[in-house]
Amino acid sequence: MSLLPGKAAGRTDIARCRRGPVIVSSVASDAHTWNLVYLQLVIEELGYEVVNLGPCVPDDLLVQECRARLPAMVVISSVNGHGYQEGLRVVQRLRACPELRGIPMVIGGKLGITGGESSGHIDDLLSAGFDAVFDDGTAGIASFRRLLTALSPPEPMLEVAS
Amino acid sequence: MNFGDFVRRCHRAGKLVVQPRMGMSSPARMRAGLLATKNANATTVGTITLDSFTRNGDLASVERALRDGVGLNGYPIVHYDPDVTRAMLDGVMAADFPVQVRHGSARPLPIMKALAAAGLHATEGGPVSYCLPYGRTPLAESVRNWAACCAVLRDSVEGEPHVETFGGCMMGQLCPPSQLVALSVLEAMFFYQHGMRSISVSYAQQTSVAQDLEALAALRRLCAQLLPHARWHVVVYAYMGLYPRTPAGAMTLLGKAAELAVRSGSERLIVKTVAEAHRIPTIEENVSALEHAAAVAGGTVAHAPAREPDGGQVYAEAYTLVEAVLNCGSDIGAALSTAFRRGLLDVPYCVHPDNAGRTRSFIDTDGRLQWADIGSLPLSGVVGRRRSRSVTAADLMEALSHIQRVFDAEALEQANRRAL
Ligand code: B12
């Protein structure tokens, strides 16, 4: 498990890898970490390397890590009730980076403070740039697993022989 | 009257003080929530829980949320002018209804200044417990900030300040009781060293009643030994991890917390509501929780003889941890930093960079929360050896949801039986 990775993979490394890691991250105001630790295990068990950026991740840090690592997916988790507002803000910053436009990005957790976001809020998050929104609910993890499995067949994290 | 003195007076009168964890975006709702707390059929104190933008010093996001009508998860005390908060509290806060500010910030100076300016004097926190579970602020910085905060509290609140340690909660779940007790005592000693004299020490209900009773006995024993000159009391938190989803399960668990508080001789209880597993609770849900806890407490006999009146195994472990930290130096703040660096304190599953992260815990067949891996904790002579194995997502979820499952299953079973 790595929080705040020591060194970012250089460009060439990424180019030679078949696929990048999955980035798991909170948003700037959210301190909860059990969700992050749990998601990391779920994703690792599907054969991915995970970079867990931890709690209270400033927008700049998330953008910087995504640009440096070109992840296979960006998984944002927030449960403190500010996820809607902060998710909207940060996904627009991520999508503004040309190299991140094609990377799958999802958000999930407890995104508002009233227990279940309105479909309007979920649509806002989708149109702002998320590919999927998993707002609270235990079914979320199962469908998230399916999404990640469908993303690419499990492959070992090996360099491509060139 | 000082928050701590009020609680201790109620205790002498045989009343458990119950308190919500409540925070609303707007002054009008916050005032309504405090009034409802005050008028509940229970002996209460009030709470202002702050939103998490304020906790992180992000006032721009507070403004945006208020402008866009997006609900905040607490009361943004730094955003509002002190006069607004004073007016919100006017006629509500009183000698027999003190109000505490709860926040979870490792950079709390602006919050301390705001609460002092608004005439408040009671708060909560600690250099470790408001740092490691609450973000990425370095521990050494948090220690400095909390020392500075004690100075602000000493110098600028009206009357005598009161602080509560949050060390008895660490991460909300899966931290063995001995380390919760040790951290609560050490944070209280930190506060004392920085001039606080009215202090409360916390402990959160865990997975076993017997072990919790031991832990609370250990906490009282250590406080009596190490804080002989402070005026202190013990606050129990209703379970702080994954909460039961069913209303009946949530209320039963809360009732157990109230029993625990009374049986252990604790003075105050912080409640959880039926909404806990789902969303921020309403005012009405908070009032129901307060009244339920008070009713259960009223029917419980104090000081039922604990099986381990001296704190048993929890005391032995907690004493060893506290001693190891105190041996790191006479400045408690610095000693805490050193202890974490050496792994003499190490909170399971806490991913903060200043936590070694080498310890693991498990729930044994009796429901007691035990060490699976002690990492570098100085407990090798005190706890038995165990073989830890790597934890899968399913293992972690099983441990996290243990209490939720037990109480929801019981609630569903009872509902089924009634339906037959
Ligand atoms: C433990 C806990 C804490 C601990 C956290 C310690 C830590 N470092 O993690 C402490 C005590 C520090 C804490 C603090 C706070 N908390 Co808290 N906390 C909880 C609690 C009790 C359990 C959370 C938990 O451990 N979950 C375990 C993980 C594995 O599950 P999960 O988080 O629910 O995530 C699941 C799903 O949501 C989903 N999921 C999550 N993210 C994603 C992402 C994707 C992509 C997918 C597919 C799925 C998914 O998968 C997970 C597994 O099912 C919950 C209430 C509850 N659930 O019982 C409140 C809760 C989350 N907290 C809450 C709040 C508001 C706070 C505070 C702001 C204080 C306050 N006002 O009460 C502060 C946070 C400060 C901040 N800066 O953010 C609220 C959020 C309200 C809302 N959203 O409507 C809750 C719901 C309690 C409540 N009812 O008020 N908390």
Side-chain angles (χ1 to χ4, degrees), chain A residues 29-35 38-39 56 75-81 106-110 112-115 134 136 140-141 144, chain B residues 49-50 52 55-56 73 133-134 166 169 171-173 240-243 272 275-281 397 400:
Chain A
S29 90
D30 197 334
H32 293 89
T33 49
W34 291 105
N35 45 325
Y38 175 70
L39 284 166
C56 295
V75 178
I76 294 180
S77 168
S78 174
V79 297
N80 75 356
V106 305
I107 186 169
K110 297 179 192 297
I113 61 166
T114 54
F134 301 90
D136 207 19
I141 287 294
F144 170 72
Chain B
T49 299
L50 306 190
S52 47
R55 294 161 183 242
N56 287 289
N73 57 15
Y134 279 105
F166 195 62
C169 174
M171 305 302 292
Q173 52 210 338
M240 290 292 288
L242 266 190
Y243 216 72
K272 288 237 168 166
E276 176 62 19
H278 310 285
R279 57 174 163 73
I280 299 281
M397 189 47 83
L400 286 172

